[in-house]
Amino acid sequence: MVGLGPRRKPSRRGSMADVPKNLQEEIKNLEEQFTVTGETLIKITDHFVGELTRGLTDEGGDIPMNPTWCMGFPTGNETGTYLALDMGGTNLRVCEIHLPEEKGEFDIIQSKYKMPEDLKTGTAEELWDYIADCLQQFIEYHHEGEKLDQLPLGFTFSYPATQDAIDHGVLQRWTKGFDIDGVEGKDVVPPFEAALKERGVPIKLTALINDTTGTLIASAYTDDKMRIGAIFGTGTNAAYMEECGNIPKLKHMNLPADLPMAINCEYGAFDNEHKVLPRTKYDIIIDKESPRPGQQTYEKMIAGLYLGEVFRLVALDLNEKPDVHIFAGQDVKKLQKPYSLDASFLAAIEEDPFENLQDTIDLFRRDLGLSIEKPEAEVFRRLAELIGTRAARLSTCGIAGIAKKKNLTSCHVGADGSVFNKYPHFKARGAEALREIFGWSKGQRDQIQILPAEDGSGVGAALIAALTIKRIQEGHTVGVIDAQAILNGTTAHKRRMSIMDPAHISK
């Protein structure tokens, strides 16, 4: 079994016979810019190890390495009913997850609510009111007329946040197109809970998590070999379990050295100092013209949000070269619009099954109003391959960095995200990159396998809420601010109180 899925289909690079020499030269030039060698991958990975370690120190570094206060993996024996709220860039998802007696099993009901575009630049009050309204609608629809105990909620808040406790979090900065004043630098939980209280909704936020941490925990619930959770989608990130003795910035808390702590790496910010990543002039343009120049350097080279933009910039560059003549005499105004292409455009090109690349030719005509011939389609086919391959290969450096730091010689990685799940050959290209980094022989089984994750933002959030309640009940309240409020009114707490009641004991 190959660790990241099926072996890659043969490349179509052999069908260049009818490509004019000037276009072949451009392809060669692009290959030189976008090809990442195994030697470079190893160099990047080794730098990653140092940066991951640096992020855990008091001084910190490019990678935040945020402690999440999720302390330990699930056993698979967790039980109960929990809510999960997933606040994404496009939709708001509300889930009710029931964890039955059967080990590693779960039942889920869910509803999605569209996130209005004007909300992303509106006020903080409008945001929390909308989310509370959606939760209220969910409860009323699925539990009409029922008298409910307090429902524990795991809130997947997938934006960079610092947490001194699992039930609170301060937003560092907005991403995914959000830019709401009055939220950055503040704890997001009090205004959210105030909106719930105003509506009388029987919900208590129990855990504020990142989707990557949720991916780690949800995947570990069904697979005891899971050690890393990763996201390869609009953005990129990973989470893993670290011992508190290896986290110098928590030294002042005098936690047991062997106590586990899930770390939300936020490693899209890797190499903001520009020491090792092989950036092209197109990557530099994307960074310079982005809302936050100098930030998220790694993410801007591999995440789905940027793959189409790299392709667009190269296509415009080819159009402007007088000796190339691509799109000669045509109106390129659609191509000139920033972020008008996304990763699905490249994926469609790579999936074109026809030798004459008719699907690619039709795609350019339909989406961009541009006419291209087969030789030009060959150039764009190769460009899509180069960008997609570079993204897959670079994306494994973060995984390999964590594995090297933790001396993980064999483990599973739970991965989620649109690029991982949908981009052609991404898994196989990543598997090949891992083999090069670790030097596994061709006949050797892949020791580190990146596999499709369980539902991190739903099931993962519910599991972390369950783990939090369990450790509060056991008296381990470090990293929990409102421990008693989390327990009060829950079904589990009422059952426990009834058992401790003298009348019950006398029976």
Side-chain angles (χ1 to χ4, degrees), residues 425-442:
H425 318 304
F426 187 89
K427 300 178 182 68
R429 289 164 177 170
E432 178 61 31
L434 280 178
R435 284 192 285 272
E436 292 176 39
I437 292 169
F438 288 103
W440 300 324
S441 62
K442 286 189 176 180

Side-chain angles (χ1 to χ4, degrees), residues 135-152:
L135 283 164
Q136 184 176 28
Q137 287 177 34
F138 181 88
I139 294 296
E140 289 174 351
Y141 181 79
H142 292 288
H143 297 280
E144 186 178 3
E146 295 180 39
K147 182 173 175 56
L148 298 173
D149 292 330
Q150 178 176 287
L151 290 167

Side-chain angles (χ1 to χ4, degrees), residues 27 79 82 91-92 204 303 306 316 341 356 381 418 489 491:
I27 290 172
T79 59
Y82 306 86
N91 297 312
L92 192 71
K204 173 60 182 173
Y306 304 100
L316 277 178
L341 304 181
N356 65 358
R381 169 71 169 223
S418 55
T491 302

Side-chain angles (χ1 to χ4, degrees), residues 182-477:
V183 184
E184 290 185 340
K186 295 183 179 179
D187 188 345
V188 300
V189 174
F192 168 65
E193 292 206 314
L196 290 176
K197 186 176 181 181
E198 187 179 321
R199 288 158 180 77
V201 184
I203 293 172
K204 173 60 182 173
L205 187 141
T206 305
L208 185 73
I209 75 159
N210 181 277
D211 58 350
T212 318
T213 310
T215 296
L216 169 66
I217 298 302
S219 299
Y221 181 65
T222 58
D223 181 350
D224 60 11
K225 292 184 179 179
M226 283 291 170
R227 292 296 178 270
I228 301 170
I231 301 291
F232 305 114
T234 307
T236 189
N237 194 15
Y240 74 102
M241 205 66 71
E242 185 61 87
E243 292 77 36
C244 288
N246 296 330
I247 311 175
K249 60 186 175 184
L250 294 183
K251 188 178 179 180
H252 65 284
M253 299 194 69
N254 297 314
L255 299 171
D258 60 350
L259 188 68
M261 172 81 77
I263 297 294
N264 168 29
C265 299
E266 292 293 352
Y267 68 23
F270 170 68
D271 202 32
N272 282 348
E273 297 173 343
H274 306 149
K275 290 183 177 180
V276 292
L277 288 175
R279 296 199 304 163
T280 66
K281 66 179 181 180
Y282 308 107
D283 300 304
I284 293 169
I285 290 170
I286 285 175
D287 180 48
K288 184 180 178 182
E289 296 181 356
S290 70
R292 299 175 188 269
Q295 297 183 22
Q296 302 299 100
T297 299
Y298 184 52
E299 185 168 273
K300 287 171 183 172
M301 295 181 72
I302 66 176
L305 179 62
Y306 304 100
L307 299 187
E309 185 65 1
V310 175
F311 185 97
R312 186 188 72 84
L313 290 172
V314 176
L316 277 178
D317 200 22
L318 292 173
N319 171 247
E320 291 168 5
K321 290 187 174 182
D323 56 331
V324 177
H325 303 302
I326 284 183
F327 313 134
Q330 299 184 64
D331 185 354
V332 295
K333 65 181 179 183
K334 286 187 177 180
L335 192 63
Q336 289 172 333
K337 183 182 178 183
Y339 295 92
S340 53
L341 304 181
D342 59 20
S344 66
F345 190 89
L346 281 71
I349 294 173
E350 288 218 53
E351 289 177 325
D352 188 342
F354 300 110
E355 188 63 28
N356 65 358
L357 296 179
Q358 190 59 50
D359 278 0
T360 301
I361 292 168
D362 293 344
L363 180 69
F364 270 81
R365 184 181 297 115
R366 184 182 70 244
D367 288 11
L368 297 171
L370 295 170
S371 176
I372 59 173
E373 302 295 329
K374 182 176 182 290
E376 297 164 332
E378 290 286 3
V379 174
F380 289 121
R381 169 71 169 223
R382 186 65 187 132
L383 175 60
E385 284 182 347
L386 287 166
I387 294 170
T389 300
R390 184 185 75 155
R393 288 171 68 80
L394 287 177
S395 70
T396 61
C397 292
I399 301 299
I402 293 172
K404 281 192 173 186
K405 182 187 184 306
K406 298 302 297 174
N407 296 314
L408 298 172
T409 56
S410 178
C411 73
H412 290 169
V413 178
D416 203 356
S418 55
V419 174
F420 178 80
N421 291 323
K422 298 179 181 179
Y423 196 92
H425 318 304
F426 187 89
K427 300 178 182 68
R429 289 164 177 170
E432 178 61 31
L434 280 178
R435 284 192 285 272
E436 292 176 39
I437 292 169
F438 288 103
W440 300 324
S441 62
K442 286 189 176 180
Q444 185 180 1
R445 178 187 176 94
D446 289 358
Q447 298 301 297
I448 297 173
Q449 300 181 29
I450 305 182
L451 306 171
E454 291 291 350
D455 175 14
S457 57
V459 176
L463 282 166
I464 294 172
L467 291 170
T468 302
I469 288 175
K470 181 181 177 183
R471 71 180 179 92
I472 292 172
Q473 289 174 332
E474 293 172 349
H476 304 307
T477 58

Side-chain angles (χ1 to χ4, degrees), residues 45-235:
T45 299
D46 289 344
H47 191 61
F48 234 119
V49 175
E51 288 300 290
L52 293 167
T53 302
R54 187 159 71 110
L56 293 172
T57 66
D58 286 320
E59 297 77 22
D62 288 343
I63 305 177
M65 301 295 282
N66 295 326
T68 65
W69 303 99
C70 170
M71 306 173 90
F73 287 113
T75 63
N77 296 315
E78 290 73 18
T79 59
T81 300
Y82 306 86
L83 291 182
L85 172 66
D86 178 16
M87 179 181 160
T90 306
N91 297 312
L92 192 71
R93 183 167 66 116
V94 181
C95 311
E96 183 176 300
I97 292 106
H98 177 65
L99 306 176
E101 298 291 337
E102 294 79 14
K103 184 173 182 177
E105 296 294 322
F106 60 86
D107 299 309
I108 182 170
I109 56 174
Q110 58 185 317
S111 298
K112 283 187 178 180
Y113 305 88
K114 184 75 175 175
M115 190 72 78
E117 280 300 316
D118 57 352
L119 203 66
K120 295 182 181 182
T121 54
T123 67
E125 185 179 4
E126 288 169 343
L127 173 68
W128 303 124
D129 282 350
Y130 179 76
I131 294 173
D133 284 341
C134 292
L135 283 164
Q136 184 176 28
Q137 287 177 34
F138 181 88
I139 294 296
E140 289 174 351
Y141 181 79
H142 292 288
H143 297 280
E144 186 178 3
E146 295 180 39
K147 182 173 175 56
L148 298 173
D149 292 330
Q150 178 176 287
L151 290 167
L153 171 72
F155 184 178
T156 303
F157 186 74
S158 299
Y159 305 86
T162 52
Q163 291 184 259
D164 292 326
I166 197 163
D167 52 338
H168 285 265
V170 175
L171 176 67
Q172 293 171 313
R173 63 184 180 279
W174 281 118
T175 56
K176 303 179 184 178
F178 279 85
D179 191 15
I180 300 173
D181 285 336
V183 184
E184 290 185 340
K186 295 183 179 179
D187 188 345
V188 300
V189 174
F192 168 65
E193 292 206 314
L196 290 176
K197 186 176 181 181
E198 187 179 321
R199 288 158 180 77
V201 184
I203 293 172
K204 173 60 182 173
L205 187 141
T206 305
L208 185 73
I209 75 159
N210 181 277
D211 58 350
T212 318
T213 310
T215 296
L216 169 66
I217 298 302
S219 299
Y221 181 65
T222 58
D223 181 350
D224 60 11
K225 292 184 179 179
M226 283 291 170
R227 292 296 178 270
I228 301 170
I231 301 291
F232 305 114
T234 307

